[in-house]
Amino acid sequence: MRIGLFVTCVNDLLYPRTGIAVVTLLERLGHRVEFPEAQSCCGQMHANTGYRDEAVPLIERFARVFEPYDAVVVPSGSCAAMVRDTYPRLVPDTAGIAARTYELSEFLVDVLGVTDVGASFPHRVTYHPSCHGARMLRLGDRPLRLLREVRGIELVELPAAEECCGFGGTFALKNAEVSSEMLRDKCRHIRDSGAEVVVATDNSCLMHIGGGLSRAGVPVRAMHYAEILAS
Amino acid sequence: MNPPNPLIGTRPFPEAAATELRNPQLRANLTHATHTIRNKRSRVVGEVPDWEQLRETGRAIKADVLRRLPELLEQFEAAATAAGATVHWARDAAEACALIARIIHATGHREVVKVKSMATQEIGLNEALEAEGIAAYETDLAELIVQLADDTPSHILVPAIHYNRSQIRDIFLRRMSDVDPSLSDQPAELAEAARKHLRRRFLNAKVAISGANFAIAETGTLVVVESEGNGRMCLTLPETLISVVGIEKILPTFNDLEVFLQLLPRSSTGERMNPYTSMWTGVTPGDGPQNVHIVLIDNGRTATLADEVGRQALACIRCSACLNVCPVYERTGGHAYGSVYPGPIGAILSPQLTGVARNSSLPFASSLCGACYDVCPVKINIPEVLVHLRQEYVNDKRDQTSAERAAMRALAWVMRDSRRWSTALRAARTGGGVLASVLRRPRVRHMPWPLSAWTSSRDAPLPAQETFREWWARRERNGGEER
């Protein structure tokens, strides 16, 4: 099986550790991962902000770059949902690549059939189910099943976990005040959970949540769950 | 001057929302109310083993109706006319209001009682009738509260959701002429005060105005679903009944109600069964209103129907489940949307009924979290339509320049080419490194416009010291070993 890593534009620049974690993890499980360097962005920001004509070339480019791969692994529920859910609607030819694209937990649990990835992380952790992974991909408890097998981890419940953190891409800028109010509640719930670390499937949400926690002086670290699975 | 359009706010959503966000009482009322209804809905929906099949059936029936709307409307008109009703057609709000005023004037009466109806809110009927010297009295408890307060509804199903009970008591004491001054804020006492107040209106009413939840093409029957019995009074006591019905309310057959009378109460009020379901077919001699009119309104629906993606908004049965789960609505309330249709469904319905150009901030009033789609009893993919309308808006403005468009175009140009993209990442990483060494921390607290909107409440990360692709290239050079 030829596995291509779509690291996402956000991770490439701001959170390379997440991409490194995916490579480390998959290699530890005995798989070879390739990173096609011609990749850039899935086009979600353009499409969701209304710039369809700008998004389409990025979609076609993604389809071309990842065509040779049997599986495309994405450490982001939102970008994976863009490919799986939105691509075929905007560019009908992409149905094939869309069906072979997986968010990391789907690839691990459904394709590789593993939940114990041999990780160890002795900390108190709470999990925020990011919206697109939860509602567009229906990830369900896949990320939690992986986290539950991590040695030493203590998973604690996040109140109102399913509620959006308020990021929403350009929503955070166009409707900054509503977004900030949503974030404030999310940060309060994270603090109330008593966790040391909040994890999610998406660094974009975590950038928002982490930025809010840091501004509010809440000593909880925001971290991509791949980094725990690789540790 | 034209009267204000009930589908368009006077301010863009972000601005109106900011005002509402600064009202802590409103927030408390909304949080309490939306969470109560949300939880109740979730409980009773969970009891239905075939809920997903019911949703799918509801969606399919509505999709079929939208495909065959012209023939079904003609079938409805023929059946209702044969049963003794007079069917009228109105292209827009002004035409509908003028028509209804003419019907009322012809009766010689100057007062009407009203059943709660979104269609009449949408066309601004009460205000139009007032200008014609006709007083329209709302009889739904929440609509009565809103009307007494000279306010506008802020929720499709619970129009006074922004008030708590002590605020309602104050409104009654101030505006209800026949109220007992010792009125408390106990719900039972408030309801009793309203009941006494409304009873006289029902007994005196000669003309009533209603909407309809469903219109059955096969039989010409109209259906009103309500919880208080005020609808039943209005629909049975007066001599003249005028029903204002959006053309999308059609169902093909009486049997189809079986699906919707399960979907609607559980999704809207969280009830297993609806308390008062009234159905009437034209005129029944000697029983109920003898002068029955039906006003079918278009008001932007035909234009909405022409949009292949957007038309699914016309499947809406006005249950409001999407409002009650929406994290945006929960914080801003309905008035921020500026339309009688607020919340997620309003954000896709209002701009389509008016044309996106006149309501352009609403499709952006969502984080696209998708909670609305999950609860919709007829499976309207609200996030899909929101994005579709954003694209329509941006596309319509293609020839105008803006800072956002320039930035989006430039970014897409960079991302389309791997060399340009790699160079840009390297430049951003270098710039971030410089900034980090100056700031002596990996986070930024203040950024220039437009990113200042981000740093108003959140710190921003700086690029890592090495991008992922640089790490990968270094590792490849070293034979795949380097970590």
Side-chain angles (χ1 to χ4, degrees), chain B residues 40-54:
Chain B
K40 209 171 153 198
R41 176 209 161 269
S42 173
R43 216 164 38 240
V44 299
V45 161
E47 296 170 351
V48 184
D50 60 348
W51 183 254
E52 286 308 314
Q53 287 97 313
L54 268 176

Side-chain angles (χ1 to χ4, degrees), chain B residues 324-338:
Chain B
N324 300 329
V325 296
C326 177
V328 175
Y329 177 89
E330 180 191 331
R331 288 167 179 82
T332 66
H335 289 153
Y337 294 79

